[in-house]
Amino acid sequence: MQNVLVTGGAGFIGSNFIRYLLNQDPDVSIVNLDALTYAGSMENLGDLPGDGRHTFVQGNICNRELVSELLEKYQVDTIVHFAAETHVDRSILGPDVFVQTNVMGTFTLLDVARQFWLEMDAFSGQRVHFHHVSTDEVYGSLSPDDDDFSETTPYDPRSPYSASKAASDHFVRAYYHTYGLPVTLTNCSNNYGPYQFPEKLIPLMILNALNSKPLPIYGDGKQIRDWLYVIDHCEGIYRVLQNGRLGETYNIGGENQPFNIDLVQEICDYLDEIRPASDSYSSLITHVPDRPGHDRRYAMDISKINTELGWAPRYDLSAGIRKTVDWYLDNLDWVVAVMERGGLDDWINENYAKRGVK
Ligand code: NAD
Ligand code: DAU
Protein backbone atom coordinates (compact mmCIF):
# COMPACT_ATOMS: atom_id res chain seq x y z
CA MET A 1 0.00 0.00 0.00
CA GLN A 2 1.67 3.18 -1.22
CA ASN A 3 -0.74 5.38 -3.12
CA VAL A 4 -4.17 5.21 -1.57
CA LEU A 5 -7.38 6.67 -2.94
CA VAL A 6 -9.72 7.38 -0.03
CA THR A 7 -13.26 8.26 -1.09
CA GLY A 8 -15.42 10.29 1.27
CA GLY A 9 -12.38 11.41 3.22
CA ALA A 10 -13.94 14.74 4.18
CA GLY A 11 -16.71 12.97 6.08
CA PHE A 12 -16.78 11.67 9.63
CA ILE A 13 -15.08 8.28 9.45
CA GLY A 14 -13.07 9.04 6.30
CA SER A 15 -11.39 12.08 7.86
CA ASN A 16 -10.58 10.14 11.02
CA PHE A 17 -9.19 7.34 8.87
CA ILE A 18 -6.94 9.68 6.87
CA ARG A 19 -5.51 11.14 10.09
CA TYR A 20 -5.02 7.61 11.44
CA LEU A 21 -3.36 6.25 8.30
CA LEU A 22 -0.98 9.19 7.86
CA ASN A 23 0.18 8.70 11.46
CA GLN A 24 0.36 4.95 11.17
CA ASP A 25 2.29 4.61 7.92
CA PRO A 26 4.92 7.21 6.93
CA ASP A 27 5.29 5.70 3.43
CA VAL A 28 1.70 6.17 2.39
CA SER A 29 0.35 9.02 0.21
CA ILE A 30 -3.36 9.69 0.05
CA VAL A 31 -5.62 11.17 -2.61
CA ASN A 32 -8.91 12.10 -1.02
CA LEU A 33 -11.86 12.23 -3.43
CA ASP A 34 -14.92 13.81 -1.88
CA ALA A 35 -17.89 15.65 -3.34
CA LEU A 36 -18.27 17.83 -0.23
CA THR A 37 -21.98 17.17 0.16
CA TYR A 38 -23.72 18.60 3.23
CA ALA A 39 -21.92 15.91 5.29
CA GLY A 40 -18.38 16.55 4.13
CA SER A 41 -16.25 19.50 5.09
CA MET A 42 -12.70 20.75 4.75
CA GLU A 43 -13.07 21.72 8.43
CA ASN A 44 -12.68 17.99 9.17
CA LEU A 45 -9.21 18.00 7.64
CA GLY A 46 -7.81 21.18 9.12
CA ASP A 47 -5.27 19.55 11.42
CA LEU A 48 -3.62 17.14 8.96
CA PRO A 49 0.18 17.25 8.79
CA GLY A 50 1.23 19.62 5.99
CA ASP A 51 3.84 17.25 4.56
CA GLY A 52 2.31 16.83 1.12
CA ARG A 53 1.14 13.26 1.68
CA HIS A 54 -2.55 14.24 1.47
CA THR A 55 -4.08 15.63 -1.72
CA PHE A 56 -7.70 16.70 -1.71
CA VAL A 57 -9.80 16.49 -4.88
CA GLN A 58 -13.37 17.72 -4.87
CA GLY A 59 -15.41 15.47 -7.13
CA ASN A 60 -18.05 12.82 -7.43
CA ILE A 61 -17.36 9.07 -7.29
CA CYS A 62 -19.95 8.67 -10.08
CA ASN A 63 -17.69 10.65 -12.43
CA ARG A 64 -15.99 7.87 -14.34
CA GLU A 65 -13.52 10.09 -16.22
CA LEU A 66 -12.38 11.79 -13.03
CA VAL A 67 -11.91 8.53 -11.13
CA SER A 68 -10.03 7.05 -14.06
CA GLU A 69 -7.77 10.10 -14.32
CA LEU A 70 -7.00 9.98 -10.57
CA LEU A 71 -6.07 6.29 -10.58
CA GLU A 72 -3.65 6.88 -13.40
CA LYS A 73 -2.22 10.24 -12.30
CA TYR A 74 -1.55 9.10 -8.72
CA GLN A 75 -0.75 5.48 -9.59
CA VAL A 76 -3.30 4.34 -7.06
CA ASP A 77 -2.67 0.80 -5.77
CA THR A 78 -5.25 0.80 -2.97
CA ILE A 79 -8.78 2.17 -2.73
CA VAL A 80 -10.53 2.61 0.60
CA HIS A 81 -14.12 3.45 -0.19
CA PHE A 82 -16.09 5.41 2.42
CA ALA A 83 -18.05 7.86 0.24
CA ALA A 84 -21.77 7.39 0.70
CA GLU A 85 -25.02 8.96 1.69
CA THR A 86 -25.26 7.72 5.26
CA HIS A 87 -28.26 9.04 7.18
CA VAL A 88 -31.21 6.64 7.43
CA ASP A 89 -33.74 9.44 8.07
CA ARG A 90 -32.62 11.29 4.94
CA SER A 91 -32.93 8.06 2.94
CA ILE A 92 -36.57 7.85 4.01
CA LEU A 93 -37.33 11.38 2.86
CA GLY A 94 -35.19 11.28 -0.33
CA PRO A 95 -33.92 7.87 -1.43
CA ASP A 96 -32.79 8.77 -4.98
CA VAL A 97 -29.36 10.10 -4.11
CA PHE A 98 -28.69 7.00 -2.01
CA VAL A 99 -29.12 4.81 -5.07
CA GLN A 100 -27.02 7.17 -7.13
CA THR A 101 -24.04 7.50 -4.79
CA ASN A 102 -24.09 4.24 -2.87
CA VAL A 103 -24.94 1.91 -5.75
CA MET A 104 -23.84 3.69 -8.94
CA GLY A 105 -20.86 5.36 -7.25
CA THR A 106 -19.56 2.07 -5.89
CA PHE A 107 -20.14 0.41 -9.24
CA THR A 108 -18.19 3.18 -11.00
CA LEU A 109 -15.21 2.81 -8.67
CA LEU A 110 -15.19 -0.96 -9.05
CA ASP A 111 -15.38 -0.80 -12.80
CA VAL A 112 -12.64 1.81 -13.17
CA ALA A 113 -10.42 -0.18 -10.78
CA ARG A 114 -11.05 -3.32 -12.84
CA GLN A 115 -10.09 -1.49 -16.00
CA PHE A 116 -6.92 0.09 -14.58
CA TRP A 117 -5.67 -2.76 -12.41
CA LEU A 118 -6.78 -5.82 -14.36
CA GLU A 119 -7.33 -4.87 -18.01
CA MET A 120 -4.44 -2.40 -18.25
CA ASP A 121 -2.44 -4.38 -15.67
CA ALA A 122 -1.07 -1.08 -14.30
CA PHE A 123 0.99 -2.77 -11.58
CA SER A 124 2.14 -5.83 -13.55
CA GLY A 125 0.54 -8.31 -11.21
CA GLN A 126 1.73 -6.63 -7.99
CA ARG A 127 -0.72 -6.44 -5.11
CA VAL A 128 -3.58 -3.97 -5.48
CA HIS A 129 -6.55 -3.76 -3.16
CA PHE A 130 -10.12 -2.42 -3.11
CA HIS A 131 -11.56 -2.10 0.37
CA HIS A 132 -15.27 -1.38 0.77
CA VAL A 133 -16.58 0.14 3.99
CA SER A 134 -20.08 -1.05 4.81
CA THR A 135 -22.57 -1.32 7.61
CA ASP A 136 -24.25 -3.79 9.96
CA GLU A 137 -27.61 -2.46 8.76
CA VAL A 138 -27.49 -4.74 5.70
CA TYR A 139 -28.29 -7.67 8.01
CA GLY A 140 -31.65 -6.24 9.10
CA SER A 141 -33.10 -6.13 12.58
CA LEU A 142 -32.63 -8.53 15.50
CA SER A 143 -35.26 -9.72 17.97
CA PRO A 144 -34.19 -9.96 21.61
CA ASP A 145 -33.27 -13.67 21.41
CA ASP A 146 -31.63 -13.71 17.98
CA ASP A 147 -27.92 -14.44 17.62
CA ASP A 148 -25.61 -11.52 16.85
CA PHE A 149 -24.96 -10.72 13.19
CA SER A 150 -22.14 -12.81 11.75
CA GLU A 151 -20.57 -12.60 8.31
CA THR A 152 -22.90 -15.39 7.16
CA THR A 153 -26.14 -13.79 8.38
CA PRO A 154 -28.42 -13.43 5.32
CA TYR A 155 -28.89 -9.87 4.09
CA ASP A 156 -32.24 -8.31 5.02
CA PRO A 157 -31.99 -4.52 4.59
CA ARG A 158 -35.05 -2.51 5.59
CA SER A 159 -34.37 1.14 4.84
CA PRO A 160 -33.47 2.75 1.50
CA TYR A 161 -30.05 3.47 3.04
CA SER A 162 -29.35 -0.11 4.05
CA ALA A 163 -30.80 -1.45 0.79
CA SER A 164 -28.39 0.76 -1.16
CA LYS A 165 -25.44 -0.36 0.97
CA ALA A 166 -26.49 -4.00 0.55
CA ALA A 167 -26.58 -3.53 -3.22
CA SER A 168 -23.10 -2.00 -3.15
CA ASP A 169 -21.77 -4.93 -1.09
CA HIS A 170 -23.19 -7.35 -3.65
CA PHE A 171 -21.44 -5.50 -6.48
CA VAL A 172 -18.13 -5.61 -4.61
CA ARG A 173 -18.40 -9.39 -4.18
CA ALA A 174 -19.55 -9.81 -7.77
CA TYR A 175 -16.39 -8.03 -8.98
CA TYR A 176 -14.28 -10.39 -6.88
CA HIS A 177 -15.94 -13.55 -8.15
CA THR A 178 -16.45 -12.51 -11.77
CA TYR A 179 -13.33 -10.52 -12.54
CA GLY A 180 -10.97 -11.47 -9.72
CA LEU A 181 -10.78 -7.87 -8.46
CA PRO A 182 -8.90 -8.10 -5.13
CA VAL A 183 -11.45 -6.86 -2.62
CA THR A 184 -12.18 -6.94 1.09
CA LEU A 185 -15.23 -5.67 2.95
CA THR A 186 -15.89 -4.53 6.49
CA ASN A 187 -19.39 -4.23 7.89
CA CYS A 188 -19.35 -2.05 10.95
CA SER A 189 -21.79 -0.99 13.64
CA ASN A 190 -22.66 2.58 14.77
CA ASN A 191 -19.62 4.84 15.04
CA TYR A 192 -19.30 7.85 17.28
CA GLY A 193 -16.52 10.30 18.08
CA PRO A 194 -14.95 13.53 16.78
CA TYR A 195 -16.10 15.12 13.51
CA GLN A 196 -19.47 13.38 13.26
CA PHE A 197 -21.98 15.65 11.54
CA PRO A 198 -24.55 16.63 14.20
CA GLU A 199 -27.52 15.02 12.47
CA LYS A 200 -26.70 11.64 14.05
CA LEU A 201 -27.93 10.63 17.51
CA ILE A 202 -24.92 11.29 19.76
CA PRO A 203 -23.74 14.71 18.52
CA LEU A 204 -27.36 15.86 18.06
CA MET A 205 -28.14 15.03 21.68
CA ILE A 206 -24.98 16.73 22.99
CA LEU A 207 -25.65 19.94 21.07
CA ASN A 208 -29.39 20.07 21.70
CA ALA A 209 -28.74 19.60 25.42
CA LEU A 210 -26.21 22.44 25.45
CA ASN A 211 -28.76 24.66 23.70
CA SER A 212 -31.61 23.61 26.06
CA LYS A 213 -33.52 22.11 23.13
CA PRO A 214 -35.64 18.94 23.29
CA LEU A 215 -33.78 15.63 22.98
CA PRO A 216 -35.95 13.78 20.44
CA ILE A 217 -36.16 10.05 21.16
CA TYR A 218 -37.84 8.06 18.41
CA GLY A 219 -40.63 5.82 19.71
CA ASP A 220 -40.03 4.15 23.06
CA GLY A 221 -36.24 4.58 22.90
CA LYS A 222 -35.73 0.87 23.52
CA GLN A 223 -33.96 0.31 20.20
CA ILE A 224 -30.46 -1.10 20.54
CA ARG A 225 -27.38 -0.11 18.57
CA ASP A 226 -23.85 -1.52 18.86
CA TRP A 227 -21.60 1.52 19.44
CA LEU A 228 -17.97 1.77 18.39
CA TYR A 229 -15.51 4.63 18.90
CA VAL A 230 -14.42 5.79 15.44
CA ILE A 231 -10.68 5.24 16.00
CA ASP A 232 -11.38 1.59 16.76
CA HIS A 233 -13.13 1.35 13.39
CA CYS A 234 -10.11 2.94 11.66
CA GLU A 235 -7.82 0.41 13.29
CA GLY A 236 -10.06 -2.47 12.21
CA ILE A 237 -9.98 -1.28 8.59
CA TYR A 238 -6.20 -0.91 8.76
CA ARG A 239 -5.82 -4.49 10.01
CA VAL A 240 -7.94 -5.74 7.13
CA LEU A 241 -5.90 -3.72 4.63
CA GLN A 242 -2.72 -5.23 5.98
CA ASN A 243 -3.67 -8.84 6.56
CA GLY A 244 -7.28 -9.43 5.55
CA ARG A 245 -7.95 -12.31 3.19
CA LEU A 246 -9.07 -11.19 -0.26
CA GLY A 247 -12.71 -11.81 -1.03
CA GLU A 248 -13.58 -11.85 2.66
CA THR A 249 -15.94 -9.80 4.80
CA TYR A 250 -15.10 -8.86 8.40
CA ASN A 251 -17.69 -7.65 10.89
CA ILE A 252 -16.57 -4.85 13.20
CA GLY A 253 -18.47 -3.81 16.31
CA GLY A 254 -18.08 -2.32 19.76
CA GLU A 255 -19.61 -5.04 21.95
CA ASN A 256 -21.73 -2.30 23.52
CA GLN A 257 -25.46 -2.58 23.10
CA PRO A 258 -27.36 -0.05 25.25
CA PHE A 259 -30.95 1.06 24.69
CA ASN A 260 -30.98 4.44 22.93
CA ILE A 261 -32.73 5.99 25.91
CA ASP A 262 -30.00 4.78 28.30
CA LEU A 263 -27.27 6.12 26.05
CA VAL A 264 -28.92 9.54 25.95
CA GLN A 265 -29.33 9.41 29.73
CA GLU A 266 -25.60 8.73 30.04
CA ILE A 267 -24.80 11.80 27.92
CA CYS A 268 -27.13 13.87 30.14
CA ASP A 269 -25.51 12.53 33.31
CA TYR A 270 -22.06 13.47 32.10
CA LEU A 271 -23.19 16.95 31.06
CA ASP A 272 -24.85 17.36 34.48
CA GLU A 273 -21.47 16.56 36.00
CA ILE A 274 -19.31 18.89 33.92
CA ARG A 275 -21.79 21.66 32.87
CA PRO A 276 -24.49 21.69 35.57
CA ALA A 277 -27.64 23.66 34.62
CA SER A 278 -30.63 24.59 36.78
CA ASP A 279 -32.43 21.36 35.75
CA SER A 280 -30.91 18.01 34.78
CA TYR A 281 -30.39 17.79 31.02
CA SER A 282 -32.51 14.64 31.06
CA SER A 283 -35.58 16.81 31.63
CA LEU A 284 -35.19 17.72 27.92
CA ILE A 285 -35.80 14.11 26.79
CA THR A 286 -38.88 14.10 24.55
CA HIS A 287 -40.40 11.00 22.96
CA VAL A 288 -41.40 11.71 19.36
CA PRO A 289 -43.05 9.65 16.58
CA ASP A 290 -40.87 6.74 15.53
CA ARG A 291 -38.71 6.38 12.42
CA PRO A 292 -40.70 4.35 9.81
CA GLY A 293 -39.31 0.80 9.56
CA HIS A 294 -37.06 1.47 12.56
CA ASP A 295 -34.70 -1.49 13.09
CA ARG A 296 -35.05 -2.69 16.66
CA ARG A 297 -31.68 -4.15 17.50
CA TYR A 298 -28.19 -4.54 16.02
CA ALA A 299 -25.37 -6.57 17.56
CA MET A 300 -22.16 -7.68 15.88
CA ASP A 301 -20.32 -10.94 16.34
CA ILE A 302 -16.69 -9.86 15.94
CA SER A 303 -15.07 -13.25 16.46
CA LYS A 304 -13.78 -13.50 12.86
CA ILE A 305 -11.75 -10.28 12.86
CA ASN A 306 -10.68 -10.97 16.42
CA THR A 307 -9.43 -14.48 15.71
CA GLU A 308 -7.91 -13.85 12.27
CA LEU A 309 -6.52 -10.35 12.68
CA GLY A 310 -6.30 -9.85 16.44
CA TRP A 311 -8.60 -6.80 16.38
CA ALA A 312 -10.80 -5.85 19.33
CA PRO A 313 -12.26 -2.49 20.37
CA ARG A 314 -10.03 -0.51 22.75
CA TYR A 315 -12.52 2.10 23.99
CA ASP A 316 -15.33 1.23 26.32
CA LEU A 317 -18.55 3.12 25.76
CA SER A 318 -18.52 5.31 28.87
CA ALA A 319 -14.95 6.46 28.26
CA GLY A 320 -15.67 7.01 24.57
CA ILE A 321 -18.83 9.02 25.31
CA ARG A 322 -16.98 11.25 27.77
CA LYS A 323 -14.18 11.81 25.28
CA THR A 324 -16.73 12.64 22.57
CA VAL A 325 -18.73 15.07 24.73
CA ASP A 326 -15.45 16.79 25.70
CA TRP A 327 -14.46 17.02 22.03
CA TYR A 328 -17.73 18.71 21.02
CA LEU A 329 -17.47 21.14 23.94
CA ASP A 330 -13.92 22.01 22.91
CA ASN A 331 -14.79 22.41 19.23
CA LEU A 332 -17.85 24.63 19.13
CA ASP A 333 -16.32 26.67 16.29
CA TRP A 334 -16.21 23.50 14.21
CA VAL A 335 -19.85 22.83 15.14
CA VAL A 336 -20.99 26.27 14.01
CA ALA A 337 -19.03 26.01 10.75
CA VAL A 338 -20.29 22.56 9.71
CA MET A 339 -23.86 23.28 10.79
CA GLU A 340 -23.93 26.36 8.59
CA ARG A 341 -22.28 24.79 5.58
CA GLY A 342 -24.32 21.57 5.92
CA GLY A 343 -27.66 23.41 6.37
CA LEU A 344 -28.40 21.54 9.57
CA ASP A 345 -31.18 23.89 10.68
CA ASP A 346 -33.12 23.16 7.48
CA TRP A 347 -32.74 19.45 8.08
CA ILE A 348 -33.90 19.79 11.69
CA ASN A 349 -36.99 21.63 10.47
CA GLU A 350 -37.69 19.01 7.81
CA ASN A 351 -37.19 15.93 9.99
CA TYR A 352 -38.33 17.07 13.42
CA ALA A 353 -40.99 19.76 12.92
CA LYS A 354 -43.48 17.15 11.74
CA ARG A 355 -42.64 15.13 14.85
CA GLY A 356 -43.68 18.12 16.96
CA VAL A 357 -40.21 19.33 18.00
CA LYS A 358 -37.69 21.79 16.55
P1 NAD B 1 -20.52 10.85 6.34
O1 NAD B 1 -21.92 11.06 5.91
O2 NAD B 1 -20.01 11.55 7.54
O3 NAD B 1 -19.52 11.22 5.15
C1 NAD B 1 -19.72 10.79 3.84
C2 NAD B 1 -18.72 11.52 2.96
O4 NAD B 1 -18.90 11.07 1.62
C3 NAD B 1 -18.88 13.04 2.95
O5 NAD B 1 -17.65 13.67 3.09
C4 NAD B 1 -19.50 13.32 1.58
O6 NAD B 1 -19.15 14.60 1.08
C5 NAD B 1 -18.91 12.19 0.76
N1 NAD B 1 -19.74 11.88 -0.41
C6 NAD B 1 -21.08 11.64 -0.44
N2 NAD B 1 -21.48 11.41 -1.68
C7 NAD B 1 -20.37 11.45 -2.47
C8 NAD B 1 -20.15 11.27 -3.85
N3 NAD B 1 -21.15 10.98 -4.69
N4 NAD B 1 -18.91 11.37 -4.32
C9 NAD B 1 -17.86 11.67 -3.49
N5 NAD B 1 -18.03 11.87 -2.17
C10 NAD B 1 -19.28 11.77 -1.66
O7 NAD B 1 -20.35 9.29 6.46
P2 NAD B 1 -19.60 8.40 7.56
O8 NAD B 1 -20.48 8.27 8.73
O9 NAD B 1 -18.22 8.88 7.70
O10 NAD B 1 -19.62 6.98 6.82
C11 NAD B 1 -18.56 6.61 5.94
C12 NAD B 1 -18.81 5.21 5.41
O11 NAD B 1 -18.89 4.31 6.50
C13 NAD B 1 -20.13 5.06 4.65
O12 NAD B 1 -19.91 4.20 3.56
C14 NAD B 1 -21.07 4.41 5.65
O13 NAD B 1 -22.05 3.64 5.01
C15 NAD B 1 -20.09 3.56 6.44
N6 NAD B 1 -20.50 3.30 7.84
C16 NAD B 1 -20.84 4.33 8.67
C17 NAD B 1 -21.15 4.05 9.99
C18 NAD B 1 -21.50 5.15 10.97
O14 NAD B 1 -21.93 4.85 12.08
N7 NAD B 1 -21.33 6.43 10.64
C19 NAD B 1 -21.14 2.72 10.46
C20 NAD B 1 -20.81 1.70 9.56
C21 NAD B 1 -20.48 1.99 8.25
O1 DAU C 1 -25.34 0.78 12.24
C1 DAU C 1 -24.47 1.51 11.43
C2 DAU C 1 -25.18 2.73 10.93
O2 DAU C 1 -25.29 3.62 12.04
C3 DAU C 1 -24.49 3.42 9.77
O3 DAU C 1 -24.46 2.55 8.67
C4 DAU C 1 -25.24 4.71 9.40
O4 DAU C 1 -24.56 5.38 8.37
C5 DAU C 1 -25.30 5.58 10.63
O5 DAU C 1 -26.06 6.74 10.35
C6 DAU C 1 -25.94 4.82 11.79
O6 DAU C 1 -27.35 4.59 11.55
P1 DAU C 1 -28.44 4.76 12.70
O7 DAU C 1 -29.73 5.02 12.05
O8 DAU C 1 -28.37 3.64 13.68
O9 DAU C 1 -27.84 6.08 13.43
P2 DAU C 1 -28.56 7.37 14.03
O10 DAU C 1 -27.53 8.14 14.77
O11 DAU C 1 -29.36 8.10 13.00
O12 DAU C 1 -29.59 6.77 15.08
C7 DAU C 1 -29.16 5.95 16.14
C8 DAU C 1 -30.40 5.48 16.88
O13 DAU C 1 -31.00 6.61 17.52
C9 DAU C 1 -31.46 4.89 15.99
O14 DAU C 1 -32.12 3.84 16.70
C10 DAU C 1 -32.43 6.03 15.76
C11 DAU C 1 -32.35 6.81 17.07
N1 DAU C 1 -32.55 8.27 16.96
C12 DAU C 1 -31.81 8.94 16.03
C13 DAU C 1 -31.95 10.30 15.89
C14 DAU C 1 -31.15 11.06 14.87
C15 DAU C 1 -33.44 8.91 17.80
O15 DAU C 1 -34.09 8.29 18.66
N2 DAU C 1 -33.57 10.26 17.66
C16 DAU C 1 -32.89 10.98 16.74
O16 DAU C 1 -33.09 12.21 16.64
Side-chain angles (χ1 to χ4, degrees), residues 124-190:
S124 319
Q126 278 176 298
R127 187 177 159 116
V128 288
H129 192 159
F130 187 109
H131 181 74
H132 179 60
V133 180
S134 193
T135 171
D136 58 358
E137 303 204 7
V138 297
Y139 298 124
S141 179
L142 294 169
S143 298
D145 298 329
D146 287 341
D147 290 339
D148 294 355
F149 296 134
S150 79
E151 289 80 358
T152 55
T153 302
Y155 274 31
D156 186 21
R158 285 142 182 260
S159 72
Y161 163 67
S162 54
S164 67
K165 290 296 290 188
S168 69
D169 293 9
H170 290 317
F171 270 103
V172 175
R173 292 196 190 94
Y175 268 65
Y176 172 73
H177 290 293
T178 306
Y179 303 111
L181 192 76
V183 306
T184 47
L185 300 89
T186 43
N187 289 72
C188 187
S189 62
N190 286 62

Side-chain angles (χ1 to χ4, degrees), residues 2-23:
Q2 233 166 13
N3 299 319
V4 181
L5 174 68
V6 172
T7 69
F12 164 47
I13 308 173
S15 63
N16 277 287
F17 179 76
I18 287 177
R19 210 169 285 112
Y20 176 90
L21 185 59
L22 289 174
N23 283 328

Side-chain angles (χ1 to χ4, degrees), residues 13 85-89 134-137 161 165 188-191 196 199-205 215-219 221 223-227 260 263-264 288 290-291 294-296 298 347 351-352 355:
I13 308 173
E85 289 292 332
T86 62
H87 193 29
V88 174
D89 293 323
S134 193
T135 171
D136 58 358
E137 303 204 7
Y161 163 67
K165 290 296 290 188
C188 187
S189 62
N190 286 62
N191 283 217
Q196 186 166 34
E199 62 183 351
K200 305 282 168 67
L201 181 73
I202 289 180
L204 181 76
M205 295 296 149
L215 307 181
I217 302 288
Y218 295 162
Q223 302 82 12
I224 292 176
R225 295 292 180 271
D226 179 332
W227 293 97
N260 288 345
L263 181 65
V264 173
V288 301
D290 209 348
R291 174 185 277 174
H294 198 170
D295 289 339
R296 197 68 183 164
Y298 306 143
W347 166 249
N351 189 48
Y352 295 94
R355 289 185 157 97

